[in-house]
Amino acid sequence: MQLKDVKTPCYVIDEGALIHNLEILKRVERESGARILLAQKCFSGFDEYPLIAKYISGTTGSGLYEARLGYEEMARPFRKQNHVYAPAYKSEDIPELARICDHMVFNSAAQLEKHYNAVKRKTSIGVRINPQYRTQKDHPMYDPCAPGSRLGMKKEDLTPDVLAKIDGIHFHTMCEQRFDDLARTVRVVERDFGDILMRVKWLNMGGGQHITSEGYDVDGLIALIKHLRETYNIEVYLEPGEAVTIDAGILVSEVLDVVENRLRILIMDASAACHMPDVLEVPYTPTISENYAAPAAEQDIIYAGEAAEKKITYRLAGNTCLAGDVIGDYSFDTEKKPGDRLYFHDMAIYSMVKNNTFNGIPLPSIYAMDEKGDCRLLKEFGYEDFKTRLGSDKSQNA
Ligand SMILES: *Cc1c(COP(=O)(O)O)cnc(C)c1O
């Protein structure tokens, strides 16, 4: 099936783009000796785990469900690592987590103390630290070092009792950031936690590093990891989400109607609120194009312009009752009409995992597109996916 034949709305995972990212990450593993884990919070499209497993060392999860997914679809079939971190664990989840995860990271001394006996000798134990060093101020929502953060233990919380129980430390303080921010953070971690690095077996530097984006200093990253491994004799982990799937998926949507109120508005069969919530949450305006190709023949893609940049400006909006379900204002050289398709870029990350059926809006189907441009349907959703999340299995219609 070709891209023009997919049913909208749908996400299409671009395997050529995914491989491009994975090759960079594999090079980092090979040349630095670090191990890289997919942060499933960002992307949990497990149909691609066999492909991802060819390049990197495993998965990390934020609780029992992601840990199970990583175990079932990556760690067990491909003999990869499976790490987990949660701000707090429920006691009932601990036995299964200890069985399916090889590394468990705790967020407080109380959590470590509470669950220590149930997990010791079953898994390698670490704690998340909060270096209290901010490298970004624009989005406090995504800054675990912002004042009042619940994420990670401060230096003074790492008592001898805590240190006696742990094999490793973990920090995650970044979001979509460049290498210098990581380098500056590592300097602070070495200064404040250097004595601990000397005692532990591993350091996990979290996600938020845009390793696979244009212009990232990959060689700098490799040198930094080597420095850490050699100085402290530790294993180094990175757990990127975005860097694995950045620009590796699109959302394909069709125009349903065109209405006018001061400006022309396209009502799409996709929704910002339901299918790309980060557009409203971050917020940001996604890149859109009028066509899309694999392998991405960049020069052939016709991108929409910003408002007023090209001949005709439209506001793109979702098919929900939420007035603010607006994707953004864009301009095109040609008029748009019902049935026309538009391609929303970079929609593998934090979109499929966050979508919802608010307003009874259908979930997009999921396709994968291989390097030649052949598309295959992975999953379709229907009315039952909406209904079963909202109540008992009893119904008037039984
Ligand atoms: C979100 C998160 C990641 C992945 O972050 P990206 O920005 O997608 O790379 C990794 N580790 C932890 C603990 C996270 O919360």
Side-chain angles (χ1 to χ4, degrees), residues 113-159:
E113 177 68 34
K114 181 170 180 186
H115 301 302
Y116 180 70
N117 281 329
V119 303
K120 70 174 179 203
R121 287 192 289 276
K122 297 198 173 100
T123 182
S124 184
I125 297 169
V127 289
R128 176 165 174 171
I129 60 166
N130 186 333
Q132 298 183 281
Y133 180 69
R134 303 183 74 180
T135 50
Q136 49 144 344
K137 294 237 161 79
D138 300 345
H139 295 296
M141 173 89 163
Y142 303 101
D143 183 0
C145 294
S149 169
R150 70 191 180 293
L151 304 170
M153 297 169 70
K154 302 180 297 302
K155 166 85 186 188
E156 63 264 32
D157 302 329
L158 296 175
T159 59

Short mmCIF file of all heavy atoms in Angstrom, two decimals, residues 113-159:
data_model
loop_
_atom_site.label_atom_id
_atom_site.label_comp_id
_atom_site.label_asym_id
_atom_site.label_seq_id
_atom_site.Cartn_x
_atom_site.Cartn_y
_atom_site.Cartn_z
N GLU A 113 13.86 2.33 51.21
CA GLU A 113 13.76 1.60 52.47
C GLU A 113 12.56 0.64 52.45
O GLU A 113 12.67 -0.54 52.78
CB GLU A 113 13.62 2.63 53.60
CG GLU A 113 13.45 2.07 54.99
CD GLU A 113 14.70 1.36 55.48
OE1 GLU A 113 15.80 1.82 55.11
OE2 GLU A 113 14.56 0.35 56.20
N LYS A 114 11.43 1.16 51.97
CA LYS A 114 10.18 0.40 51.98
C LYS A 114 10.26 -0.87 51.12
O LYS A 114 9.75 -1.92 51.49
CB LYS A 114 9.05 1.31 51.48
CG LYS A 114 7.68 0.66 51.46
CD LYS A 114 6.62 1.69 51.20
CE LYS A 114 5.25 1.03 51.20
NZ LYS A 114 4.21 1.97 50.81
N HIS A 115 10.90 -0.74 49.95
CA HIS A 115 10.86 -1.85 49.00
C HIS A 115 12.17 -2.63 48.92
O HIS A 115 12.26 -3.61 48.18
CB HIS A 115 10.50 -1.32 47.60
CG HIS A 115 9.18 -0.61 47.55
ND1 HIS A 115 8.00 -1.21 47.92
CD2 HIS A 115 8.84 0.67 47.21
CE1 HIS A 115 7.00 -0.35 47.79
NE2 HIS A 115 7.49 0.80 47.36
N TYR A 116 13.16 -2.19 49.68
CA TYR A 116 14.51 -2.75 49.52
C TYR A 116 14.54 -4.28 49.69
O TYR A 116 15.09 -5.00 48.85
CB TYR A 116 15.48 -2.08 50.51
CG TYR A 116 16.88 -2.62 50.41
CD1 TYR A 116 17.67 -2.35 49.29
CD2 TYR A 116 17.42 -3.41 51.42
CE1 TYR A 116 18.96 -2.85 49.20
CE2 TYR A 116 18.71 -3.91 51.33
CZ TYR A 116 19.47 -3.64 50.21
OH TYR A 116 20.73 -4.14 50.11
N ASN A 117 13.93 -4.78 50.74
CA ASN A 117 14.03 -6.23 51.00
C ASN A 117 13.37 -7.05 49.90
O ASN A 117 13.81 -8.16 49.60
CB ASN A 117 13.42 -6.58 52.36
CG ASN A 117 14.40 -6.25 53.47
OD1 ASN A 117 15.62 -6.32 53.26
ND2 ASN A 117 13.89 -5.84 54.61
N ALA A 118 12.33 -6.49 49.28
CA ALA A 118 11.61 -7.23 48.23
C ALA A 118 12.37 -7.25 46.90
O ALA A 118 12.10 -8.09 46.05
CB ALA A 118 10.22 -6.64 48.03
N VAL A 119 13.31 -6.33 46.72
CA VAL A 119 13.96 -6.26 45.41
C VAL A 119 15.46 -6.60 45.45
O VAL A 119 16.06 -6.91 44.42
CB VAL A 119 13.78 -4.87 44.74
CG1 VAL A 119 12.31 -4.54 44.59
CG2 VAL A 119 14.50 -3.77 45.49
N LYS A 120 16.07 -6.54 46.65
CA LYS A 120 17.52 -6.76 46.70
C LYS A 120 17.87 -8.16 46.20
O LYS A 120 17.10 -9.10 46.36
CB LYS A 120 18.05 -6.52 48.12
CG LYS A 120 17.63 -7.56 49.10
CD LYS A 120 18.31 -7.35 50.45
CE LYS A 120 17.80 -8.44 51.37
NZ LYS A 120 17.90 -8.14 52.77
N ARG A 121 18.98 -8.24 45.56
CA ARG A 121 19.47 -9.47 44.93
C ARG A 121 18.64 -9.92 43.72
O ARG A 121 18.99 -10.87 43.05
CB ARG A 121 19.62 -10.61 45.94
CG ARG A 121 20.82 -10.40 46.88
CD ARG A 121 21.14 -11.64 47.68
NE ARG A 121 20.14 -11.90 48.69
CZ ARG A 121 20.14 -11.32 49.90
NH1 ARG A 121 21.11 -10.48 50.23
NH2 ARG A 121 19.20 -11.58 50.76
N LYS A 122 17.51 -9.23 43.44
CA LYS A 122 16.73 -9.59 42.25
C LYS A 122 17.01 -8.63 41.11
O LYS A 122 16.80 -8.94 39.94
CB LYS A 122 15.23 -9.54 42.56
CG LYS A 122 14.81 -10.54 43.63
CD LYS A 122 13.30 -10.76 43.58
CE LYS A 122 12.87 -11.87 44.51
NZ LYS A 122 12.33 -11.38 45.77
N THR A 123 17.47 -7.42 41.46
CA THR A 123 17.61 -6.38 40.45
C THR A 123 18.70 -5.42 40.93
O THR A 123 18.99 -5.36 42.12
CB THR A 123 16.24 -5.67 40.26
OG1 THR A 123 16.36 -4.68 39.26
CG2 THR A 123 15.76 -5.01 41.53
N SER A 124 19.30 -4.70 39.99
CA SER A 124 20.30 -3.72 40.39
C SER A 124 19.57 -2.45 40.82
O SER A 124 18.69 -1.96 40.11
CB SER A 124 21.24 -3.45 39.21
OG SER A 124 22.27 -2.57 39.60
N ILE A 125 19.95 -1.90 41.97
CA ILE A 125 19.17 -0.82 42.59
C ILE A 125 19.88 0.52 42.45
O ILE A 125 21.09 0.62 42.67
CB ILE A 125 18.95 -1.13 44.08
CG1 ILE A 125 18.12 -2.42 44.22
CG2 ILE A 125 18.26 0.04 44.78
CD1 ILE A 125 18.07 -2.95 45.64
N GLY A 126 19.11 1.53 42.07
CA GLY A 126 19.66 2.88 42.00
C GLY A 126 18.71 3.89 42.59
O GLY A 126 17.56 3.57 42.90
N VAL A 127 19.20 5.12 42.77
CA VAL A 127 18.31 6.21 43.16
C VAL A 127 18.46 7.35 42.16
O VAL A 127 19.51 7.54 41.56
CB VAL A 127 18.59 6.76 44.59
CG1 VAL A 127 18.16 5.76 45.64
CG2 VAL A 127 20.04 7.19 44.75
N ARG A 128 17.36 8.07 42.01
CA ARG A 128 17.40 9.25 41.15
C ARG A 128 17.86 10.43 41.98
O ARG A 128 17.34 10.67 43.07
CB ARG A 128 16.00 9.53 40.57
CG ARG A 128 15.96 10.81 39.75
CD ARG A 128 14.71 10.88 38.91
NE ARG A 128 14.58 12.15 38.23
CZ ARG A 128 13.66 12.41 37.30
NH1 ARG A 128 12.80 11.47 36.96
NH2 ARG A 128 13.60 13.58 36.71
N ILE A 129 18.85 11.14 41.47
CA ILE A 129 19.31 12.34 42.15
C ILE A 129 18.75 13.58 41.46
O ILE A 129 18.39 13.54 40.27
CB ILE A 129 20.85 12.42 42.20
CG1 ILE A 129 21.45 12.45 40.78
CG2 ILE A 129 21.43 11.27 43.02
CD1 ILE A 129 22.91 12.86 40.74
N ASN A 130 18.67 14.65 42.20
CA ASN A 130 18.29 15.94 41.64
C ASN A 130 19.48 16.87 41.81
O ASN A 130 19.72 17.37 42.90
CB ASN A 130 17.05 16.49 42.35
CG ASN A 130 16.54 17.76 41.70
OD1 ASN A 130 17.30 18.50 41.08
ND2 ASN A 130 15.25 18.02 41.83
N PRO A 131 20.23 17.09 40.73
CA PRO A 131 21.45 17.91 40.86
C PRO A 131 21.13 19.38 41.14
O PRO A 131 22.04 20.16 41.42
CB PRO A 131 22.14 17.77 39.50
CG PRO A 131 21.40 16.71 38.75
CD PRO A 131 20.04 16.59 39.36
N GLN A 132 19.85 19.74 41.11
CA GLN A 132 19.42 21.13 41.37
C GLN A 132 20.19 22.12 40.52
O GLN A 132 20.60 23.18 40.98
CB GLN A 132 19.55 21.46 42.86
CG GLN A 132 18.67 20.58 43.72
CD GLN A 132 18.75 20.94 45.17
OE1 GLN A 132 19.69 20.57 45.87
NE2 GLN A 132 17.76 21.68 45.64
N TYR A 133 20.39 21.73 39.28
CA TYR A 133 21.11 22.59 38.35
C TYR A 133 20.24 22.75 37.11
O TYR A 133 20.00 21.79 36.37
CB TYR A 133 22.46 21.95 37.98
CG TYR A 133 23.26 22.77 37.01
CD1 TYR A 133 23.81 23.98 37.40
CD2 TYR A 133 23.44 22.32 35.70
CE1 TYR A 133 24.53 24.74 36.50
CE2 TYR A 133 24.17 23.08 34.80
CZ TYR A 133 24.70 24.30 35.20
OH TYR A 133 25.41 25.05 34.31
N ARG A 134 19.73 23.96 36.90
CA ARG A 134 18.77 24.18 35.82
C ARG A 134 19.48 24.59 34.54
O ARG A 134 20.31 25.51 34.56
CB ARG A 134 17.77 25.27 36.21
CG ARG A 134 17.04 24.95 37.49
CD ARG A 134 16.03 26.02 37.82
NE ARG A 134 14.87 25.90 36.94
CZ ARG A 134 13.82 26.72 37.01
NH1 ARG A 134 13.79 27.70 37.86
NH2 ARG A 134 12.80 26.55 36.20
N THR A 135 19.13 23.93 33.45
CA THR A 135 19.72 24.29 32.17
C THR A 135 18.66 24.84 31.22
O THR A 135 18.93 25.11 30.06
CB THR A 135 20.38 23.08 31.51
OG1 THR A 135 19.45 22.00 31.51
CG2 THR A 135 21.64 22.67 32.25
N GLN A 136 17.43 24.99 31.70
CA GLN A 136 16.36 25.54 30.85
C GLN A 136 15.35 26.21 31.75
O GLN A 136 15.04 25.73 32.82
CB GLN A 136 15.70 24.41 30.05
CG GLN A 136 15.32 23.24 30.91
CD GLN A 136 14.03 22.58 30.49
OE1 GLN A 136 13.25 23.14 29.74
NE2 GLN A 136 13.81 21.38 30.97
N LYS A 137 14.82 27.34 31.27
CA LYS A 137 13.84 28.06 32.10
C LYS A 137 12.53 28.28 31.35
O LYS A 137 11.55 28.74 31.93
CB LYS A 137 14.42 29.42 32.52
CG LYS A 137 15.63 29.30 33.45
CD LYS A 137 15.43 30.03 34.78
CE LYS A 137 16.38 29.55 35.86
NZ LYS A 137 17.72 30.11 35.76
N ASP A 138 12.49 27.94 30.06
CA ASP A 138 11.32 28.28 29.24
C ASP A 138 10.10 27.44 29.61
O ASP A 138 8.97 27.89 29.50
CB ASP A 138 11.62 28.07 27.75
CG ASP A 138 12.76 28.94 27.29
OD1 ASP A 138 13.10 29.87 28.04
OD2 ASP A 138 13.31 28.68 26.20
N HIS A 139 10.32 26.20 29.97
CA HIS A 139 9.21 25.29 30.19
C HIS A 139 9.34 24.61 31.55
O HIS A 139 9.78 23.47 31.63
CB HIS A 139 9.17 24.22 29.09
CG HIS A 139 8.88 24.77 27.74
ND1 HIS A 139 7.69 25.37 27.42
CD2 HIS A 139 9.62 24.82 26.61
CE1 HIS A 139 7.69 25.76 26.17
NE2 HIS A 139 8.86 25.44 25.64
N PRO A 140 8.92 25.28 32.64
CA PRO A 140 9.02 24.66 33.97
C PRO A 140 8.31 23.31 34.02
O PRO A 140 8.70 22.42 34.79
CB PRO A 140 8.34 25.68 34.90
CG PRO A 140 7.92 26.82 34.07
CD PRO A 140 8.36 26.62 32.67
N MET A 141 7.29 23.15 33.16
CA MET A 141 6.56 21.88 33.07
C MET A 141 7.51 20.71 32.77
O MET A 141 7.24 19.57 33.13
CB MET A 141 5.55 22.04 31.92
CG MET A 141 4.81 20.81 31.56
SD MET A 141 3.33 20.67 32.55
CE MET A 141 2.46 19.46 31.58
N TYR A 142 8.60 21.02 32.06
CA TYR A 142 9.53 19.96 31.65
C TYR A 142 10.89 20.10 32.33
O TYR A 142 11.88 19.64 31.80
CB TYR A 142 9.67 19.95 30.12
CG TYR A 142 8.35 19.78 29.42
CD1 TYR A 142 7.69 20.86 28.87
CD2 TYR A 142 7.73 18.53 29.39
CE1 TYR A 142 6.44 20.72 28.28
CE2 TYR A 142 6.48 18.37 28.80
CZ TYR A 142 5.85 19.47 28.24
OH TYR A 142 4.61 19.31 27.67
N ASP A 143 10.92 20.79 33.48
CA ASP A 143 12.20 21.01 34.17
C ASP A 143 12.19 20.35 35.54
O ASP A 143 11.70 20.92 36.51
CB ASP A 143 12.46 22.52 34.30
CG ASP A 143 13.81 22.79 34.94
OD1 ASP A 143 14.53 21.81 35.25
OD2 ASP A 143 14.15 23.97 35.12
N PRO A 144 12.75 19.13 35.64
CA PRO A 144 12.75 18.43 36.92
C PRO A 144 13.62 19.12 37.98
O PRO A 144 13.58 18.73 39.15
CB PRO A 144 13.34 17.05 36.58
CG PRO A 144 13.23 16.92 35.09
CD PRO A 144 13.36 18.32 34.57
N CYS A 145 14.39 20.14 37.62
CA CYS A 145 15.19 20.86 38.60
C CYS A 145 14.53 22.16 39.05
O CYS A 145 15.12 22.93 39.81
CB CYS A 145 16.59 21.16 38.04
SG CYS A 145 17.56 19.67 37.76
N ALA A 146 13.31 22.41 38.57
CA ALA A 146 12.61 23.63 38.98
C ALA A 146 12.33 23.56 40.49
O ALA A 146 12.17 22.48 41.04
CB ALA A 146 11.31 23.77 38.19
N PRO A 147 12.26 24.73 41.15
CA PRO A 147 12.00 24.72 42.59
C PRO A 147 10.68 23.99 42.88
O PRO A 147 9.72 24.12 42.14
CB PRO A 147 11.85 26.21 42.94
CG PRO A 147 12.47 26.96 41.81
CD PRO A 147 12.38 26.09 40.60
N GLY A 148 10.69 23.20 43.95
CA GLY A 148 9.48 22.47 44.31
C GLY A 148 9.33 21.14 43.61
O GLY A 148 8.32 20.46 43.77
N SER A 149 10.31 20.77 42.80
CA SER A 149 10.21 19.51 42.06
C SER A 149 10.18 18.30 43.00
O SER A 149 10.90 18.26 43.99
CB SER A 149 11.42 19.39 41.12
OG SER A 149 11.48 18.08 40.58
N ARG A 150 9.36 17.31 42.67
CA ARG A 150 9.31 16.07 43.47
C ARG A 150 10.30 15.04 42.94
O ARG A 150 10.39 13.93 43.46
CB ARG A 150 7.90 15.48 43.42
CG ARG A 150 7.53 14.90 42.05
CD ARG A 150 6.06 14.58 41.95
NE ARG A 150 5.67 14.03 40.67
CZ ARG A 150 5.67 14.67 39.51
NH1 ARG A 150 6.09 15.92 39.45
NH2 ARG A 150 5.27 14.08 38.40
N LEU A 151 11.03 15.38 41.87
CA LEU A 151 11.79 14.36 41.14
C LEU A 151 13.26 14.33 41.54
O LEU A 151 14.02 15.23 41.22
CB LEU A 151 11.64 14.61 39.63
CG LEU A 151 10.17 14.65 39.15
CD1 LEU A 151 10.08 15.14 37.71
CD2 LEU A 151 9.51 13.28 39.28
N GLY A 152 13.65 13.31 42.25
CA GLY A 152 15.06 13.09 42.56
C GLY A 152 15.46 13.52 43.96
O GLY A 152 14.84 14.39 44.58
N MET A 153 16.53 12.87 44.48
CA MET A 153 17.03 13.14 45.83
C MET A 153 18.15 14.16 45.79
O MET A 153 19.02 14.12 44.93
CB MET A 153 17.54 11.84 46.45
CG MET A 153 16.45 10.79 46.61
SD MET A 153 17.09 9.15 47.02
CE MET A 153 17.66 9.40 48.70
N LYS A 154 18.12 15.07 46.77
CA LYS A 154 19.19 16.06 46.87
C LYS A 154 20.42 15.39 47.50
O LYS A 154 20.31 14.36 48.16
CB LYS A 154 18.72 17.25 47.70
CG LYS A 154 17.48 17.93 47.11
CD LYS A 154 17.00 19.12 47.91
CE LYS A 154 16.54 18.80 49.31
NZ LYS A 154 15.45 17.81 49.42
N LYS A 155 21.55 16.02 47.29
CA LYS A 155 22.81 15.47 47.80
C LYS A 155 22.69 15.07 49.28
O LYS A 155 23.10 13.99 49.69
CB LYS A 155 23.93 16.51 47.59
CG LYS A 155 25.19 16.22 48.35
CD LYS A 155 26.11 15.28 47.60
CE LYS A 155 27.30 14.92 48.48
NZ LYS A 155 28.33 14.18 47.85
N GLU A 156 22.08 15.96 50.08
CA GLU A 156 22.04 15.69 51.53
C GLU A 156 21.11 14.52 51.89
O GLU A 156 21.16 14.01 52.99
CB GLU A 156 21.66 16.96 52.31
CG GLU A 156 20.27 17.53 52.01
CD GLU A 156 20.31 18.67 50.96
OE1 GLU A 156 21.18 18.63 50.06
OE2 GLU A 156 19.45 19.58 51.05
N ASP A 157 20.26 14.10 50.92
CA ASP A 157 19.38 12.95 51.19
C ASP A 157 20.12 11.62 51.02
O ASP A 157 19.60 10.56 51.37
CB ASP A 157 18.18 12.95 50.23
CG ASP A 157 17.35 14.22 50.33
OD1 ASP A 157 17.30 14.80 51.43
OD2 ASP A 157 16.78 14.64 49.31
N LEU A 158 21.31 11.67 50.43
CA LEU A 158 22.04 10.42 50.16
C LEU A 158 22.87 10.03 51.39
O LEU A 158 24.08 10.20 51.43
CB LEU A 158 22.93 10.59 48.92
CG LEU A 158 22.15 10.85 47.61
CD1 LEU A 158 23.11 11.11 46.46
CD2 LEU A 158 21.25 9.69 47.26
N THR A 159 22.18 9.53 52.38
CA THR A 159 22.81 9.16 53.66
C THR A 159 23.64 7.88 53.49
O THR A 159 23.46 7.15 52.51
CB THR A 159 21.72 8.88 54.71
OG1 THR A 159 20.91 7.82 54.20
CG2 THR A 159 20.86 10.11 54.96
#
